[in-house]
């Protein structure tokens, strides 16, 4: 490896270190719902309802944050029946495993203004 390459690599690492909003293992910034997270959460709607013993007639993903682990953990805010909101923890394994995303936990009693935060998986 030559000195010019090392200088460029150091500059890239410095830029990445001080401009990136999410580190591996940390929960990233909250983002508005997009097509990808809508599909994941909607596909798991039945499993999410089963976790809390409910069937939702309204189910709309509002926003989410990601945590990079051995795969991804999504913390998702969902508007459900009436003015109710839930926060859902979804684990998405690495693609090579061939495993589908799964529901790791649901927190009920949230409001539109509650910030999405990290929470531990629930059995």
């Amino acid at each position: 490896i030559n000195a010019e390459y090392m200088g460029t690599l150091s500059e890239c690492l410095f830029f990445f270190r001080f401009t990136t909003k999410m580190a591996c293992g940390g929960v990233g910034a909250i983002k508005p719902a997009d097509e990808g997270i809508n599909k994941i959460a909607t596909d798991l709607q039945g499993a999410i309802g089963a976790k809390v013993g409910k069937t939702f007639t309204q189910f709309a993903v509002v926003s989410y944050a990601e945590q990079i682990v051995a795969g991804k953990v999504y913390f998702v805010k969902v508007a459900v029946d009436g003015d109710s909101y839930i926060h859902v923890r979804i684990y998405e394994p690495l693609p090579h495993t061939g495993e589908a995303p799964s529901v790791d936990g649901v927190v009920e009693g949230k409001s539109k203004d509650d910030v999405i935060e990290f929470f531990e998986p629930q059995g």
Side-chain angles (χ1 to χ4, degrees):
I1 299 175
N2 65 37
E4 182 180 333
Y5 174 78
M6 288 305 294
T8 304
L9 180 60
S10 295
E11 291 167 11
C12 288
L13 291 173
F14 177 84
F15 179 79
F16 181 77
R17 167 82 170 94
F18 293 100
T19 60
T20 302
K21 293 185 179 181
M22 179 173 57
C24 187
V27 177
I30 297 171
K31 304 180 227 179
D34 59 31
E35 187 177 322
I37 196 62
N38 272 318
K39 174 152 182 32
I40 292 169
T42 302
D43 287 351
L44 292 169
Q45 182 175 345
I48 293 167
K51 278 268 191 203
V52 294
K54 296 181 178 175
T55 301
F56 300 113
T57 56
Q58 176 190 345
F59 189 91
V61 177
V62 176
S63 56
Y64 73 104
E66 297 175 335
Q67 179 184 28
I68 305 299
V69 292
K72 287 185 185 177
V73 175
Y74 297 100
F75 297 92
V76 186
K77 180 185 286 191
V78 181
V80 293
D81 306 334
D83 291 333
S84 299
Y85 288 79
I86 57 174
H87 289 182
V88 181
R89 180 185 169 113
I90 298 172
Y91 173 65
E92 181 179 48
L94 291 169
H96 76 276
T97 66
E99 297 176 28
S102 60
V103 180
D104 270 354
V106 180
V107 178
E108 294 183 277
K110 294 296 185 176
S111 74
K112 179 181 176 183
D113 298 323
D114 285 334
V115 176
I116 301 170
E117 297 176 317
F118 173 91
F119 63 93
E120 293 289 340
Q122 302 160 339

